[in-house]
Amino acid sequence: MIRFPGSLRFKLIAGFLGVSLGSIALVAILSWVAATSEFTRFVGQQAQDDFVVFVSNYYATNASLNGVDKAIRVRVEVPFNATTDLPEQVRFFPFGLATPDGVVVNPSEGYRLGERVPDELIATGTKIFRDGKVIAVVLPRPAPFPRNRAQEQFVQRTLNTFLVSAGGAAIVAIILGVALARTITRPVQELTNAAQRMAKGELGHTVRVESRDEVGDLANAFNQMSSDLKRSDQVRRQMTADIAHELRNPLTVIGGYLDAMRVGDLQPTPQRLDAVYDEIQHLEHIVEDLRTLSLADAGALVLNCQEVSLREILQRVANRFAPQAAQKKIALQVSADSAMPLLQLDEARMTQVLDNLVSNALQHTHAGGRITLAAEQNEDNIFLRVSDTGKGISPEDLPHVFERFYRGDRARPAEEGSSGLGLAIAKALVEAHGGKISVASVLGQGTTFMIELPIL
């Protein structure tokens, strides 16, 4: 691969000029060659036509071609490049002439007077007719056909015109090349400067979008990437703070109990040891949730898929939460067609997803409310719905319910024992099965989580 030094602008200008000037030169040369060739052919044809008329008139006057060479060379001392305003009879005709049987009666370049030329030349020559019979043959002459002074001046003027046109086109190409290169490289330079600022930590920096072409698409993609990076950095910082907060609370409780027991302020009673043990289990739960999410992010989450019945999974989940629902006076029901097909799922992971959703619904549904676990299908997908008649999620919290450690006042209260990762884990597990999860809610009326799974 050929590598050219210099900046992108220099390379673009050099490329544009190379292509433009090369094209201009090629067109100019080809046009010049074609024009001069065609002009020479025209001049030669016109001169030959004049020669034919001269010979035909001479034959009509003299009834033969005797002495035609002298008539043709009556002014032989006048060169062919004499001006064209001379009388017709003193113009020199640079053509050889032969009788029909091949005897040269007018010499020219390559032909001597009185010699006999081959029949092939007679066959390729231009025949002169008079009264229906061939009286002479104009012998072919080698190229190029000579031009007179006026014709040479015309050719020179034509050449000058081509040179001026090519020069003007080259100047226009240079101006357009520089302008076009600057138009292309300016947004690229702005993108480079913005990328360098981002590399120094100025996340969220954007560039102006001044066109709707590929460069404009690149600028839009860069701006989107910059915004995403800024948001990801904010999420990362917030998640780090949330993890620290989640771990600090149980560690503070454990440290307080152990320190008090160590110095003798508290006795290690079974109740106090149970409290310490509960906090340790809470820590283990947080660590396990974080591990599950990290495996899902890395695409290393292992699923033990087998054919399972979704109706049976829904029923088992409902049976497990039935005592809690009854205690809170909440109706918990299942609605699923018994003829639904079996799906290839990791039963434990899908049960974990539904447990998170039902547990979340129980936290936000008042006594007398209702929670419904439903399943339905179309040609390509099966839809699972977990609906409640609870207090709903506010519109400002709704877009963030699947974010890690997000705790909107209504979406995820910091209930005891919760890590704030339940819905994030549910989303990761559903996507690991090739599905999608979404949420719809009306404040004060309830919330519905919908899981869409493909039928394989």
Side-chain angles (χ1 to χ4, degrees):
M1 182 182 295
I2 300 176
R3 297 183 178 228
F4 297 96
S7 64
L8 176 61
R9 180 174 297 182
F10 172 80
K11 293 176 182 177
L12 287 173
I13 293 176
F16 292 148
L17 293 185
V19 173
S20 300
L21 297 182
S23 301
I24 291 171
L26 181 61
V27 170
I29 292 173
L30 293 178
S31 300
W32 162 250
V33 171
T36 54
S37 175
E38 188 64 23
F39 179 72
T40 300
R41 188 197 64 79
F42 170 76
V43 169
Q45 185 64 46
Q46 187 180 46
Q48 180 174 290
D49 292 342
D50 292 342
F51 182 68
V52 169
V53 171
F54 178 85
V55 172
S56 180
N57 292 337
Y58 182 87
Y59 184 87
T61 302
N62 299 280
S64 72
L65 294 178
N66 295 332
V68 69
D69 59 319
K70 295 179 181 179
I72 293 173
R73 297 194 307 274
V74 67
R75 293 290 185 269
V76 69
E77 69 276 8
V78 180
F80 178 72
N81 61 1
T83 57
T84 55
D85 56 356
L86 292 174
E88 181 71 24
Q89 64 271 20
V90 301
R91 289 174 57 193
F92 174 65
F93 297 107
F95 297 99
L97 185 68
T99 60
D101 55 0
V103 178
V104 176
V105 294
N106 181 58
S108 67
E109 183 178 355
Y111 306 108
R112 290 180 297 178
L113 183 65
E115 75 170 331
R116 182 176 294 276
V117 297
D119 294 339
E120 302 84 61
L121 288 178
I122 296 297
T124 58
T126 302
K127 296 177 176 59
I128 302 176
F129 292 88
R130 189 73 184 184
D131 298 330
K133 69 175 183 177
V134 178
I135 61 172
V137 177
V138 180
L139 300 175
R141 59 161 287 109
F145 189 84
R147 296 186 290 261
N148 60 31
R149 183 181 300 117
Q151 293 165 349
E152 289 290 351
Q153 291 174 350
F154 173 80
V155 171
Q156 186 61 44
R157 287 194 297 270
T158 302
L159 175 61
N160 294 337
T161 301
F162 274 117
L163 292 176
V164 171
S165 300
I171 294 175
V172 172
I174 292 173
I175 296 174
L176 291 179
V178 173
L180 184 58
R182 185 174 182 274
T183 301
I184 294 176
T185 57
R186 183 177 58 199
V188 173
Q189 185 61 47
E190 291 180 0
L191 285 170
T192 301
N193 295 335
Q196 292 172 346
R197 294 179 64 177
M198 287 181 61
K200 296 177 181 178
E202 298 183 30
L203 301 180
H205 185 71
T206 59
V207 296
R208 293 177 300 173
V209 180
E210 299 180 346
S211 62
R212 297 183 180 180
D213 53 13
E214 289 81 357
V215 177
D217 294 340
L218 177 61
N220 282 322
F222 178 87
N223 290 340
Q224 183 63 46
M225 179 191 69
S226 179
S227 300
D228 292 344
L229 283 176
K230 183 177 181 180
R231 175 167 174 77
S232 296
D233 183 66
Q234 292 172 343
V235 170
R236 178 185 60 81
R237 293 174 184 271
Q238 184 61 44
M239 187 174 69
T240 301
D242 289 338
I243 292 175
H245 176 75
E246 291 291 335
L247 296 177
R248 183 173 60 248
N249 288 340
L251 287 174
T252 299
V253 174
I254 294 171
Y257 272 113
L258 293 179
D259 185 63
M261 294 178 188
R262 181 178 62 84
V263 299
D265 292 340
L266 292 176
Q267 295 300 315
T269 63
Q271 293 80 7
R272 290 166 182 166
L273 292 176
D274 286 343
V276 172
Y277 181 74
D278 289 342
E279 294 302 326
I280 293 174
Q281 285 189 315
H282 186 198
L283 283 175
E284 290 179 347
H285 181 64
I286 294 174
V287 172
E288 182 60 28
D289 285 347
L290 290 173
R291 177 178 177 274
T292 300
L293 287 173
S294 65
L295 289 174
D297 290 341
L301 188 63
V302 178
L303 298 178
N304 182 23
C305 293
Q306 55 187 346
E307 287 190 345
V308 296
S309 168
L310 284 177
R311 178 179 175 83
E312 293 180 3
I313 294 178
L314 293 177
Q315 193 60 59
R316 282 198 295 270
V317 171
N319 293 339
R320 186 159 53 253
F321 284 94
Q324 298 180 37
Q327 185 178 8
K328 296 187 66 173
K329 298 182 180 180
I330 297 173
L332 182 58
Q333 60 188 30
V334 175
S335 175
D337 188 357
S338 59
M340 295 186 66
L342 300 179
L343 288 185
Q344 287 285 338
L345 299 174
D346 186 323
E347 183 175 357
R349 293 297 190 183
M350 191 54 60
T351 299
Q352 182 181 358
V353 171
L354 295 172
D355 284 349
N356 283 332
L357 298 180
V358 174
S359 176
N360 193 65
L362 285 171
Q363 291 290 336
H364 306 298
T365 303
H366 300 293
R370 183 178 66 258
I371 299 175
T372 302
L373 283 71
E376 59 186 41
Q377 72 176 94
N378 60 16
E379 293 181 358
D380 302 317
N381 301 284
I382 286 182
F383 299 92
L384 302 179
R385 288 184 175 84
V386 178
S387 305
D388 63 59
T389 58
K391 51 190 176 182
I393 304 173
S394 65
E396 60 269 20
D397 291 327
L398 197 60
H400 308 290
V401 294
F402 295 108
E403 294 179 6
R404 301 170 189 185
F405 295 107
Y406 184 79
R407 294 187 183 279
D409 292 340
R410 296 177 178 85
R412 284 191 208 157
E415 63 271 3
E416 184 178 356
S418 172
S419 66
L421 296 172
L423 293 181
I425 291 175
K427 182 174 184 291
L429 293 179
V430 170
E431 291 177 349
H433 283 85
K436 295 184 292 185
I437 185 171
S438 59
V439 60
S441 183
V442 178
L443 198 60
Q445 297 183 19
T447 302
T448 297
F449 286 90
M450 184 174 70
I451 299 171
E452 180 180 348
L453 296 172
I455 300 176
L456 301 179

